[in-house]
Amino acid sequence: MKIGIPKETGDGETRVAVIPSMISVLTKNGNEVLVESGAGDRASFTDDQYREAGAEIVEDLERLYGQAAVVLKVLPPQINERMGAHEADLLRESSIFIGFMSPLTHPETVLKFASRKITGFSMEFIPRITRAQGMDALSSMATVAGYKAVLIAANQLGKFFPLLMTAAGTITPARVLVLGAGVAGLQAIATAKRLGARVEAFDPRPAVREQVESLGAGFMEMEVPKDMETSGGYAREQSDEFLKREQETIGARLGKVDAVITTAQVFGKKAPILITGEMAGKMRPGSVIVDLASEQGGNCALTEAGKTVTRHGVDIIGAVNLPSLVPFHSSQMYSRNITNLFKHLFPAKESVLDFNDEITRSACITHNGEIVNEMARKGRLP
Ligand code: NAD
């Protein structure tokens, strides 16, 4: 079987789906790996390293797509400017695509895949079960984003994060509020603590308080209804009444906070607004909000994805694709996740996809000319 690894084409994208040290996982059962020349450049992996690892470097992308039975990517298929074609059209008929497919925001790709009998596996749909943890690319990328968000906040803030006792006086530690303490939020808390900030956090899922406190952060007190978590570990969509109370609780703190990192998301829905424009206006001038939910609409009403806007002296950073700002380790982590999925799908030479398996079934979006994922078929998430 030939496996293709093209260079990512998205704006500002720096990651590569598989790094050289993982190539041997793919070649193990006699597979051949074709890597587009320069695929790893922006993540500091050279063509020579891929060659030494046993891959063939291919200049001609048409050949790579034309020969590959399986294509491994980070981003969903999109218009490839160099080829003047959509990547979903470059894939061979009946081939297999594995990557972030974002099927609900890329319905045209899902339809193309179905019509061309391409089997599409979406990294977003890896089930959150213990067995699949090593394939959980959403968590890997959220870890990177949470870390980088804090560094961006620290960089933007005109203040120190740590307590400093100097001959020029004592500097009090910065106060950081982290809203949403899932994978990204917990990493943001840990990073802000390492930098010496005083951190407080909130998440409506009941299990989170202990995790937040174990990192040495305070938990924002607020009454939370019982059924706030789905069986899949995600937060349920909250009522307007709950969000209003949450906004009031957050609002009471904003005047004392230097940086807010927002990561609150409800899988498949628009992100909840936790900070209204009016609330942001009550923050001290020079404060910073880094909004990690900006691509889902933002947790702050003033957020503009991909931009920094300044209102009433407060910088609101609409953070997008932060994993691309840490390309080496993002690629390393993603690479481990996608090769683990590959090994799971193809455990031996000439294995056949086993749709009785939960991971294979859950992650598959299209197969045999059909949209097999119910959410993608309906074009929405639960
Ligand atoms: P996510 O990116 O969907 O959401 C981020 C966080 O926002 C979540 O913690 C959510 O509870 C929180 N949130 C939603 N509405 C909010 C609101 N109004 N105010 C504040 N916070 C709000 O979630 P995620 O980080 O990808 O994962 C969530 C959880 O899933 C994890 O913490 C973990 O418990 C579970 N998980 C399990 C596995 C596994 O079992 N393999 C893997 C990864 C994650």
Side-chain angles (χ1 to χ4, degrees):
M1 182 157 75
K2 288 198 176 170
I3 302 163
I5 301 165
K7 183 172 178 157
E8 297 296 322
T9 50
D11 242 3
E13 182 55 62
T14 59
R15 292 168 291 178
V16 60
V18 180
I19 65 169
S21 60
M22 296 280 146
I23 294 291
S24 60
V25 176
L26 304 175
T27 52
K28 195 164 160 236
N29 290 321
N31 301 318
E32 289 172 45
V33 181
L34 309 177
V35 177
E36 185 184 354
S37 178
D41 279 358
R42 286 169 295 183
S44 312
F45 300 105
T46 64
D47 284 358
D48 281 345
Q49 288 173 315
Y50 281 105
R51 271 193 207 97
E52 279 157 29
E56 181 188 343
I57 295 294
V58 178
E59 299 283 348
D60 179 0
L61 188 57
E62 209 160 349
R63 178 161 91 80
L64 182 147
Y65 272 108
Q67 293 191 353
V70 180
V71 168
L72 305 181
K73 266 196 98 245
V74 180
L75 292 184
Q78 50 198 281
I79 301 283
N80 187 310
E81 302 286 354
R82 280 170 288 140
M83 300 291 288
H86 197 288
E87 287 161 354
D89 293 321
L90 294 173
L91 283 158
R92 228 170 71 180
E93 262 202 42
S94 305
S95 61
I96 296 173
F97 173 93
I98 310 177
F100 282 124
M101 267 185 76
S102 306
L104 299 156
T105 48
H106 292 71
E108 74 294 347
T109 299
V110 176
L111 290 172
K112 271 181 204 280
F113 275 19
S115 73
R116 303 193 53 241
K117 293 199 163 71
I118 292 163
T119 299
F121 286 100
S122 173
M123 296 303 283
E124 294 96 332
F125 280 80
I126 297 285
R128 297 196 124 172
I129 54 175
T130 311
R131 208 157 56 85
Q133 268 176 1
M135 307 168 202
D136 185 357
L138 275 184
S139 290
S140 299
M141 297 304 108
T143 299
V144 181
Y147 162 81
K148 197 68 185 179
V150 172
L151 299 188
I152 289 172
N155 221 14
Q156 190 79 8
L157 193 69
K159 295 182 177 178
F160 279 113
F161 260 37
L163 167 81
L164 290 181
M165 289 163 122
T166 78
T170 298
I171 301 205
T172 52
R175 283 175 177 262
V176 175
L177 179 62
V178 177
L179 298 172
V183 181
L186 290 173
Q187 188 56 236
I189 294 168
T191 306
K193 287 294 295 178
R194 281 183 214 117
L195 283 179
R198 287 177 66 179
V199 186
E200 194 178 24
F202 178 71
D203 195 293
R205 289 182 300 111
V208 177
R209 170 193 278 266
E210 204 185 315
Q211 296 164 0
V212 166
E213 289 175 346
S214 74
L215 289 170
F219 195 77
M220 190 178 92
E221 291 299 339
M222 191 188 142
E223 205 180 304
V224 174
K226 277 202 177 68
D227 57 343
M228 292 305 264
E229 186 161 333
T230 67
S231 55
Y234 288 109
R236 277 190 206 290
E237 195 173 20
Q238 300 106 33
S239 66
D240 289 346
E241 185 271 331
F242 175 87
L243 287 174
K244 191 157 183 297
R245 272 197 299 121
E246 185 176 353
Q247 285 172 1
E248 283 165 11
T249 315
I250 294 166
R253 284 158 166 80
L254 286 183
K256 300 180 199 118
V257 166
D258 297 298
V260 185
I261 313 289
T262 69
T263 76
Q265 298 201 34
V266 176
F267 191 60
K269 307 273 185 203
K270 200 168 171 294
I273 294 288
L274 306 181
I275 302 176
T276 62
E278 197 190 335
M279 287 163 71
K282 295 202 172 122
M283 291 180 76
R284 289 182 292 208
S287 313
V288 178
I289 299 174
V290 178
D291 193 341
L292 283 191
S294 72
E295 282 167 287
Q296 283 71 37
N299 292 139
C300 174
L302 301 176
T303 297
E304 289 182 38
K307 291 190 181 156
T308 299
V309 292
T310 306
R311 296 279 186 280
H312 324 288
V314 179
D315 292 329
I316 302 136
I317 301 175
V320 293
N321 197 1
L322 293 190
S324 263
L325 298 180
V326 192
F328 184 91
H329 279 132
S330 292
S331 301
Q332 180 178 313
M333 293 167 91
Y334 186 81
S335 197
R336 176 79 67 177
N337 297 140
I338 199 167
T339 51
N340 279 342
L341 175 60
F342 181 88
K343 273 192 295 187
H344 181 79
L345 297 174
F346 304 103
K349 208 170 184 167
E350 311 200 351
S351 6
V352 177
L353 293 172
D354 172 14
F355 287 99
N356 290 320
D357 172 78
E358 185 184 354
I359 299 173
T360 307
R361 200 176 50 245
S362 304
C364 188
I365 306 296
T366 55
H367 181 57
N368 231 351
E370 304 215 1
I371 304 172
V372 293
N373 178 289
E374 201 188 325
M375 297 174 202
R377 204 168 36 239
K378 290 182 181 158
R380 62 170 180 78
L381 287 174

